[in-house]
Amino acid sequence: MQHPIRIDRFTHFLAIDWSGAKGERQKGIALSLADASGGPPVLIDRDTAWSREEVLHILRHELPPDTLVGMDLGIALPFADAGAFFPGWDESPDNAKELWALIDRICADDPYLESGSFVTHPEAARYFRHSRDHVGDRFHLPNAPTREGRFRIAEQAQRNRNVRPVSNFNLVGAAQVGKSSLTGMRLLNRLRDRVSVWPIDPLPEGGPVVVEIYTSIAARASGVGGETGGAKTKLRSYEELNAALDRLNTPPVAGAGPIDDHSSDALVTAAWLRSVAEDPAHWNPEGLTAEIARTEGWTFGAL
């Protein structure tokens, strides 16, 4: 899927560490902006924790025109492994945008862009792992090679970047991304008329673009974990953060001592997005076909 149009047009790079937790405001949401002209990334701070609706408002109304937005969530569910998002369910959508619409419709009465109604839906619930003792009867495909659940093609490619993704159908554990992905898909459904989502949408000549990011890929690219790719991907002090930024040829941010990992994830990822956005390989990863683009999407940086 070659992209011959300009990829050097972005003026700003916004990284969003997202959260699928219940409630109006989420301490796990962090936003950081990097300017193409240089300088350190800037944490977009506020007096209270962010709400998902506030992030939606920014993306709809307040983005600089040519902003590349990286969101730490899955923009779709596995499809290629079974030829369907939900094999055996007659309401299973044919593409990612229809998936977003289905989730948003079923969760229409859930406040704060939550996704509880979807994961408890009588049919949808069968595909998720809800707890150690509650695993949907369709969480695993028959004869699946692993008990970790289903993965997208992009998530298989993530393993080549020395990171270990978790299935978007898994709702259990600190590393799970299922809830954040489902709430994120509700948000993406409400952005369809304002912001392009690559590669589900073609890369446009102008305007803001959202890509899926995995902050561990940015951390690895900034040298976290060393050459051996150790388990560590979190930066928990300004000193660690600024060392990572230096490896991305980015000036340091002000501060010393501890920093929460949501903020550090957003800061290092904004700098990383700026450093790789003009690399054609990131827009043309091996394994990304037109069919994968319209159904599963891709993780930016999974090459």
Side-chain angles (χ1 to χ4, degrees):
M1 292 186 64
Q2 293 295 313
H3 292 286
I5 67 173
R6 287 180 56 206
I7 55 176
D8 60 350
R9 65 176 180 81
F10 295 109
T11 61
H12 295 83
F13 303 88
L14 177 65
I16 301 176
D17 200 29
W18 188 246
S19 172
K22 293 185 67 174
E24 180 180 4
R25 297 191 174 275
Q26 305 301 328
K27 293 181 179 179
I29 295 178
L31 283 70
S32 176
L33 189 68
D35 194 301
S37 64
V42 176
L43 196 66
I44 304 176
D45 213 350
R46 52 186 296 104
D47 294 334
T48 59
W50 288 97
S51 72
R52 285 183 283 263
E53 289 95 336
E54 288 168 341
V55 177
L56 174 61
H57 178 84
I58 286 176
L59 295 178
R60 284 189 62 85
H61 302 292
E62 297 181 8
L63 281 181
D66 286 322
T67 301
L68 180 60
V69 181
M71 298 196 70
D72 187 24
L73 52 85
I75 58 175
L77 295 172
F79 187 99
D81 60 349
F85 295 117
F86 308 105
W89 184 16
D90 58 9
E91 285 195 50
S92 185
D94 291 330
N95 58 67
K97 290 190 174 184
E98 291 180 3
L99 173 65
W100 303 344
L102 173 69
I103 295 168
D104 204 18
R105 175 174 60 79
I106 290 176
C107 298
D109 293 331
D110 290 9
Y112 316 128
L113 294 179
E114 291 177 3
S115 59
S117 292
F118 191 75
V119 298
T120 58
H121 183 277
E123 286 297 322
R126 300 174 67 184
Y127 298 86
F128 291 88
R129 175 188 277 145
H130 302 268
S131 70
R132 185 179 65 178
D133 300 320
H134 179 192
V135 181
D137 64 307
R138 292 179 175 172
F139 176 72
H140 300 291
L141 292 179
N143 303 315
T146 172
R147 303 305 290 171
E148 295 180 77
R150 298 170 58 196
F151 289 93
R152 298 180 299 156
I153 300 299
E155 289 154 358
Q156 296 172 19
Q158 288 178 22
R159 294 173 184 258
N160 296 331
R161 307 293 286 180
N162 292 320
V163 296
R164 190 173 185 86
V166 177
S167 172
N168 286 342
F169 282 114
N170 178 51
L171 307 177
V172 185
Q176 66 87 14
V177 294
K179 295 173 185 176
S180 60
S181 296
L182 294 171
T183 59
M185 290 181 221
R186 292 195 66 188
L187 175 141
L188 294 176
N189 189 56
R190 299 174 184 217
L191 287 175
R192 288 171 61 167
D193 61 335
R194 301 297 288 267
V195 178
S196 297
V197 181
W198 178 88
I200 293 167
D201 294 310
L203 189 62
E205 294 284 354
V209 176
V210 168
V211 296
E212 171 187 323
I213 56 171
Y214 189 16
T215 57
S216 293
I217 292 178
R220 285 281 183 259
S222 67
V224 179
E227 294 181 0
T228 61
K232 175 185 171 69
T233 60
K234 295 299 182 182
L235 301 163
R236 303 190 186 278
S237 72
Y238 278 94
E239 291 75 17
E240 290 180 332
L241 169 63
N242 283 328
L245 292 176
D246 182 65
R247 291 189 288 268
L248 293 172
N249 298 313
T250 297
V253 298
I259 183 173
D260 69 273
D261 58 10
H262 304 295
S263 297
S264 64
D265 280 349
L267 286 161
V268 77
T269 303
W272 171 76
L273 279 172
R274 179 172 60 188
S275 73
V276 300
E278 295 184 21
D279 178 2
H282 283 73
W283 300 100
N284 300 283
E286 184 178 353
L288 177 58
T289 66
E291 176 68 6
I292 294 298
R294 77 177 191 89
T295 55
E296 295 191 347
W298 201 261
T299 310
F300 194 73
L303 304 178

